[in-house]
Amino acid sequence: MPYNYPVLLPLLDDLIKVHKFKPTIKWRQSFENYLKTMPPYYIGSLRKALRIMGAPNLLADNMEYGLSYSVVSYLKKLSQQVSSYLLGSNHRKDSCTGKQTKYLR
C-alpha cells in the first residue's frame, strides 16, 4: 500500500502536537515500522513532504529508494558520467585514478 494514511497521519499528528518535532525512541520505532510497509519508491515523496512540514531529518539520506548508501552513491556517480557523456564533454575523469583524460570521437 503506498501511503497507509490511517497509520501515517496519527504518527505525524503525534510528532507535531505531542513531541513538538522531537520524536522519542518509541515514536521513531513506530515510524520505522511504518516505513518498512511502504514501497521504497515513495520515500522521496515522503521526504519532500516532511521537509515542507518542517521535519526534514526524519528520514536518513541513505534511505533513498530503500537502497544502501553505497548503491545510491554508485548510481549518482553513474548518472554524472552518463550526463557528461550525453552532453558531449570530451574531457572526463577516470573513475579509478581521478585523472582527466581526453577522449577522441
Side-chain angles (χ1 to χ4, degrees), residues 37-83:
T37 66
M38 189 178 79
Y41 48 84
Y42 280 95
I43 290 175
S45 299
L46 181 60
R47 176 179 284 120
K48 184 177 179 179
L50 291 171
R51 186 174 40 243
I52 291 169
M53 281 179 46
N57 299 324
L58 288 178
L59 294 173
D61 287 336
N62 65 349
M63 284 194 66
E64 192 80 22
Y65 307 109
L67 303 173
S68 71
Y69 174 76
S70 59
V71 172
V72 171
S73 297
Y74 180 71
L75 290 174
K76 285 181 182 178
K77 182 178 173 182
L78 282 178
S79 174
Q80 291 171 348
Q81 289 175 348
V82 169
S83 294

